[in-house]
C-alpha cells in the first residue's frame, strides 16, 4: 500500500507540473479572447511554428539555445500580429462564429504548410535535461523548468496588466470597447499589441514544449483541444479561472492516466469538462 | 432540367468511366451527404464541431458489432443510430436548455469529438486503436456481394446506394426547409430570447434538428465504413473530420441545398487536381491551398461558392429588366 501511495503522489505532483504548463498555454488564448473577443482556433499551431523556430535556429543554424528561444518568441509574436492584421481584422465586425471559423482555416493552412516545408518527421531538439529523483519519485527536470517559467510568465503578465499603463489600457478595452476610444485609447493599436503579446506567450509555451516533446506538423492537434477546453472551463477570457481550470485538467489527466491508460485520463478530463459546462456554463469563475 | 441532371448523374456508371473516377464520384456524393447533414444544423446558427463523434459512432458501431459479435451491419446500424440519438440527446439537451450557443456550443461539441476519438484509441484491444479496423470480409469464394453483411465489391452497386442516400439527404433538407420548425429555428438563431417570447419552444426545436442531423451523419459513418472497408479514429472522427465537415459545407455554401455537395466536389477536385499536377512531390500542398482558400472565403465570400454564385445570378437577373 505504501508503494501505491508514493506512485499516486508522484502522479499528483506530475499533474501539478503539467498544470503550470497548461496554464501558460491557456493564458495567451484567454488574453486574446478577453481583449479582442476572438478565439484563435489556430493557437496551438502558432505554438507549433514556435517549436519549429527553436528547432531550426538551434539544431540547423547552431545558434545558442538561449538566443534561439527569445528569437522564436519574437517570431511567433510577429505571426500573432500578422494573423490579426490580415485575418482577424477583416472579420472583426462579422458574425462571431465567422471569426472562429476563419482561424480554423489558418489552422489547416499552418498545419499543411508545416508538412510541406518541414516534412512529417518528428524533430527532436536533442537537449535532454536530467530527471530529478526525490525518494522513490522521479520528475523530469524539463517539466520542472517548464512549470517555473510558466508560473513566472503568468505572474509577469499579471503585473503587466495590473500595473503598467499599457496593461491598464488593455484591460480597459476588454471591459468596454465602445467607450475607450473616447478616452483616447485606440482599440486598433491595443488589438495589435495584444496579438503580439498573445503570440509571444504562444512562443514562450513553444520554448517549453520543445524541451519535452518532439516537433511534428500535427502536434497542435494533440494539445490544441485541451487548451480551448481549459479556457472555456475557466470562463473564456477569465485568466484566473483559466489558471485554476488548467490545474484541474492536469490532475484529471495525470491521476486518471495513473489509474488507467493515458487516453482515459484525457477522456475523463473531457467528460468532466462537458459535465462542468452544464453545471456552470459561464465557467468556474464566470459571473452570471 | 433538375430531373435531366439527375438522370445524367444516375447514368454515370454506364459511361464506363473506370473504377477510379467512379470512386471519386462516390466520395463526392458520400461526403456531400455528410456535409449536407452537418449543414442542417450549421446554417441555423448551430455550428457543431462534434459531428466527427456521430460519424465515428456509426462507423465503429457497425464494424465492432460485426467483427466481435457477427451482428449484421443492418442491425449494427440500428444500434449505432440508437447510440447516436442517445449521445446527441445527452449533449444537446443541456446545451440548449442552458443556452450554450456560439463559441461555447462549438467548443463543447469539440470536446465531444475528442471524447469519441480518445475512447476509440483507448479501447485499442477491441478497436485496433490508431491503426484502425477492417470489417471481416463476408465475401467468400467468387461471391461479389453480400447483402446481409452490406459488402459489395462492385463499385457500381455502391454508386447507386450512395446516390440514393444522398438524394434522401437532399429530400430531408427540403422537408426541413419547408417546415415550421425551420422558420422557428431561423428566428432562434437571430434572437433567441425574442423567439422564446413569441412561444417557440427553443430547446425542443433545436433538439429536433440536432437529432436529424446527428442521425444522418451516423448513417454516413456506417456507409463510409462499409464502402471503404477500413476505418481509423482520424478518418471517421476527431477534430480533423469535424473541421473537414464544417469547412466543406462552408466552402460550398451551407445556406443552399446543393452547397455542401459543391463543397465536397470542390475540395476533392482540388486535392485530386493538385495531385495530378504535382504528383506526390508536395504532400500537403492541397491542404495548404485549401486553408488559404477557406480564409479568403470566410472573409470575402461567407456564403460559399454556391451562395456567391446565386447572389451573382440574382444580381444579373435583377438588372436585366432595367436594361431592356
Amino acid at each position: 500500500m505504501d508503494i501505491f501511495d508514493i506512485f499516486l503522489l508522484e502522479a499528483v505532483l506530475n499533474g501539478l507540473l503539467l498544470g503550470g504548463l497548461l496554464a501558460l498555454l491557456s493564458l495567451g488564448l484567454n488574453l486574446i479572447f478577453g481583449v479582442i473577443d476572438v478565439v484563435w482556433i489556430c493557437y496551438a499551431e502558432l505554438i507549433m511554428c514556435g517549436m519549429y523556430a527553436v528547432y531550426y535556429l538551434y539544431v540547423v543554424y547552431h545558434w545558442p539555445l538561449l538566443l534561439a528561444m527569445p528569437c522564436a518568441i519574437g517570431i511567433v509574436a510577429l505571426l500573432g500580429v500578422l494573423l490579426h492584421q490580415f485575418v482577424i481584422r477583416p472579420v472583426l465586425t462579422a458574425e462571431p462564429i465567422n471569426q472562429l471559423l476563419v482561424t480554423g482555416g489558418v489552422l489547416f493552412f499552418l498545419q499543411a504548410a508545416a508538412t510541406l516545408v518541414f516534412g512529417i518527421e518528428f524533430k527532436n531538439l536533442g537537449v535532454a535535461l536530467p530527471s530529478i529523483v526525490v525518494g522513490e519519485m522521479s520528475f523530469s527536470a524539463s517539466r520542472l523548468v517548464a512549470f517555473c517559467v510558466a508560473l513566472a510568465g503568468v505572474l509577469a503578465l499579471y503585473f503587466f496588466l495590473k500595473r503598467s499603463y499599457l496593461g491598464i489600457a488593455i484591460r480597459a478595452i476588454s471591459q468596454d470597447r465602445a467607450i475607450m476610444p473616447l478616452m483616447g485609447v485606440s482599440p486598433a493599436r491595443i488589438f495589435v499589441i495584444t496579438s503580439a503579446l498573445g503570440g509571444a506567450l504562444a512562443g514562450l509555451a513553444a520554448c517549453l514544449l520543445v524541451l519535452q516533446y518532439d516537433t511534428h506538423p500535427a502536434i497542435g492537434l494533440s494539445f490544441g483541444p485541451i487548451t480551448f477546453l481549459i479556457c472555456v472551463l475557466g470562463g473564456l477570457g477569465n485568466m484566473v479561472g483559466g489558471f485554476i481550470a488548467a490545474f484541474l485538467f492536469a490532475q484529471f489527466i495525470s491521476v486518471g492516466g495513473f489509474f488507467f491508460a493515458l487516453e482515459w485520463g484525457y477522456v475523463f478530463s473531457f467528460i468532466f469538462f462537458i459535465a462542468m459546462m452544464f453545471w456552470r456554463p459561464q465557467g468556474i469563475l464566470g459571473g452570471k | 432540367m433538375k430531373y435531366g441532371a439527375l438522370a445524367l448523374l444516375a447514368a454515370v456508371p454506364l459511361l464506363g468511366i473506370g473504377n477510379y473516377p467512379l470512386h471519386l464520384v462516390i466520395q463526392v456524393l458520400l461526403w456531400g451527404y455528410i456535409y449536407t447533414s452537418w449543414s442542417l444544423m450549421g446554417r441555423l446558427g448551430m455550428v457543431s464541431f462534434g459531428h466527427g463523434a456521430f460519424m465515428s459512432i456509426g462507423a465503429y458501431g457497425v464494424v465492432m458489432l460485426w467483427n466481435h459479435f457477427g451482428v449484421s451491419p443492418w442491425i449494427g446500424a440500428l444500434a449505432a443510430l440508437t447510440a447516436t440519438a442517445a449521445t446527441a440527446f445527452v449533449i444537446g439537451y443541456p446545451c440548449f436548455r442552458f443556452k450554450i450557443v456560439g463559441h461555447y456550443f462549438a467548443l463543447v461539441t469539440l470536446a465531444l469529438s475528442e471524447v469519441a476519438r480518445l475512447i476509440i484509441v483507448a479501447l485499442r484491444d477491441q478497436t485496433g486503436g490508431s491503426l484502425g479496423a477492417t470489417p471481416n470480409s463476408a465475401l467468400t469464394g467468387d461471391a461479389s456481394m453480400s447483402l446481409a453483411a452490406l459488402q459489395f465489391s462492385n463499385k457500381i452497386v455502391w454508386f447507386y446506394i450512395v446516390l440514393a442516400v444522398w438524394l434522401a439527404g437532399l429530400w430531408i433538407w427540403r422537408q426541413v426547409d419547408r417546415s415550421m420548425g425551420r422558420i422557428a429555428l431561423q428566428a432562434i438563431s437571430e434572437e433567441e430570447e425574442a423567439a422564446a417570447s413569441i412561444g417557440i419552444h427553443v430547446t425542443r426545436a433545436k433538439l429536433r434538428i440536432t437529432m436529424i442531423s446527428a442521425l444522418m451523419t451516423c448513417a454516413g459513418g456506417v456507409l463510409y465504413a462499409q464502402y471503404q472497408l477500413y476505418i481509423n479514429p482520424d478518418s471517421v472522427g476527431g477534430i480533423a473530420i469535424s473541421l473537414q465537415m464544417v469547412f466543406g459545407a462552408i466552402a460550398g455554401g451551407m445556406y443552399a441545398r446543393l452547397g455542401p455537395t459543391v463543397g465536397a466536389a470542390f475540395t476533392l477536385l482540388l486535392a485530386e487536381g493538385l495531385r495530378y499536377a504535382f504528383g506526390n512531390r508536395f504532400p500537403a500542398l492541397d491542404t495548404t491551398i485549401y486553408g488559404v482558400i477557406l480564409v479568403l472565403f470566410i472573409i470575402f465570400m461567407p456564403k460559399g461558392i454556391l451562395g456567391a454564385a446565386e447572389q451573382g445570378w440574382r444580381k444579373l437577373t435583377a438588372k436585366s429588366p432595367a436594361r431592356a
Side-chain angles (χ1 to χ4, degrees), chain A residues 160-212:
Chain A
F160 169 74
L161 289 178
K162 278 279 180 207
R163 296 289 159 82
S164 76
Y165 181 78
L166 209 55
I168 291 167
I170 288 176
R171 283 192 298 135
I173 285 279
S174 75
Q175 276 170 12
D176 197 328
R177 232 198 264 191
I179 284 294
M180 282 323 285
L182 304 178
M183 311 285 154
V185 178
S186 150
R189 241 189 71 209
I190 293 294
F191 285 175
V192 172
I193 294 171
T194 309
S195 300
L197 207 55
L201 284 166
L204 182 61
C207 293
L208 300 175
L209 282 168
V210 81
L211 290 174
Q212 298 179 41

Side-chain angles (χ1 to χ4, degrees), chain B residues 117-133:
Chain B
R117 188 184 70 87
L118 286 165
I119 288 179
I120 293 167
V121 175
L123 292 173
R124 58 172 63 82
D125 293 338
Q126 286 78 36
T127 61
S130 316
L131 295 176

Side-chain angles (χ1 to χ4, degrees), chain A residues 33 37-39 41 86-88 90-91 95-109 111-116 221-222 224-225 228-229 232 235-237 261 263-264 266-267 270-271 273-274 277-279 281-283, chain B residues 38 47 49 90-92 94-95 98 100 102-104 106-108 110-112 114-115 117-119 121-124 239-240 243-244 246-247 250 254-255 281-292 294-296 298-300 302:
Chain A
F33 183 84
D37 208 13
V38 168
V39 178
I41 284 283
F86 291 106
V87 178
I88 303 292
V91 291
E95 283 179 60
I97 204 69
N98 279 3
Q99 300 163 354
L100 186 78
L101 294 174
V102 81
T103 60
V106 177
L107 180 154
F108 270 117
F109 169 71
Q111 206 182 324
T115 312
L116 196 61
L221 289 183
S222 59
F228 304 125
L229 301 189
V232 175
L236 264 175
E263 287 89 9
W264 287 111
Y266 279 97
V267 170
F270 286 7
I271 291 175
F273 164 80
I274 292 174
M277 281 317 285
F278 298 150
W279 184 43
Q282 70 279 28
Chain B
W38 180 88
V47 173
F49 284 173
V90 167
I91 292 295
C95 268
F98 299 122
I100 294 174
H103 288 132
Y104 284 82
L107 292 169
V108 169
L110 180 86
L112 175 68
E114 276 303 276
V115 168
R117 188 184 70 87
L118 286 165
I119 288 179
V121 175
L123 292 173
R124 58 172 63 82
I239 314 177
L243 284 178
Q244 186 188 322
V246 179
F247 289 119
I250 288 173
M254 62 174 165
Y255 300 101
R281 270 174 295 160
F282 304 112
L285 189 64
D286 58 324
T287 331
T288 313
I289 295 176
Y290 183 50
V292 174
L294 280 176
V295 171
L296 294 177
I298 296 167
I299 294 176
F300 297 108

Side-chain angles (χ1 to χ4, degrees), chain B residues 169-180 182 257:
Chain B
L170 294 185
W171 181 78
I172 294 175
W173 174 292
R174 199 178 64 166
Q175 294 311 107
V176 168
D177 203 46
R178 290 181 173 183
S179 68
M180 265 311 271
R182 196 269 299 170
R257 181 149 58 126

Side-chain angles (χ1 to χ4, degrees), chain B residues 32-269:
Chain B
Y33 161 77
I34 293 171
Y35 298 170
T36 305
S37 318
W38 180 88
S39 303
L40 279 176
M41 276 176 83
R43 70 177 181 134
L44 293 165
M46 287 179 276
V47 173
S48 155
F49 284 173
H51 273 49
F54 303 133
M55 189 173 168
S56 52
I57 292 174
Y60 270 90
V62 284
V63 174
M64 289 305 114
L65 286 174
W66 170 250
N67 280 2
H68 294 296
F69 305 103
V71 177
S72 157
W74 294 96
I75 317 252
L78 281 182
L81 287 170
T82 315
T84 298
T87 313
F89 183 82
V90 167
I91 292 295
Y93 181 78
C95 268
F96 305 143
R97 180 77 187 68
F98 299 122
K99 297 197 175 68
I100 294 174
V101 293
H103 288 132
Y104 284 82
F105 183 70
L107 292 169
V108 169
T109 49
L110 180 86
L112 175 68
S113 267
E114 276 303 276
V115 168
R117 188 184 70 87
L118 286 165
I119 288 179
I120 293 167
V121 175
L123 292 173
R124 58 172 63 82
D125 293 338
Q126 286 78 36
T127 61
S130 316
L131 295 176
T134 303
N136 296 336
S137 178
L139 307 178
T140 46
D142 52 356
S144 72
M145 59 161 72
S146 160
L147 195 59
L150 202 62
Q151 291 181 10
F152 310 99
S153 61
N154 191 339
K155 284 213 172 359
I156 295 178
V157 178
W158 272 114
F159 172 82
Y160 285 109
I161 294 176
V162 171
L163 180 67
V165 171
W166 176 71
L167 284 173
L170 294 185
W171 181 78
I172 294 175
W173 174 292
R174 199 178 64 166
Q175 294 311 107
V176 168
D177 203 46
R178 290 181 173 183
S179 68
M180 265 311 271
R182 196 269 299 170
I183 298 167
L185 281 161
Q186 207 133 35
I188 292 170
S189 74
E190 269 156 33
E191 186 67 66
E192 190 158 323
E193 308 288 328
S197 77
I198 55 167
I200 295 174
H201 197 307
V202 174
T203 308
R204 194 184 300 158
K206 281 184 164 180
L207 204 53
R208 198 181 293 152
I209 194 78
T210 305
M211 286 290 184
I212 295 173
S213 170
L215 289 174
M216 282 171 70
T217 310
C218 170
V222 171
L223 285 177
Y224 181 91
Q226 294 301 123
Y227 172 63
Q228 295 281 359
L229 291 178
Y230 169 74
I231 50 176
N232 75 46
D234 296 304
S235 69
V236 295
I239 314 177
I241 289 296
S242 301
L243 284 178
Q244 186 188 322
M245 290 182 205
V246 179
F247 289 119
I250 288 173
M254 62 174 165
Y255 300 101
R257 181 149 58 126
L258 285 175
T261 311
V262 170
F266 171 75
T267 45
L268 203 74
L269 287 179

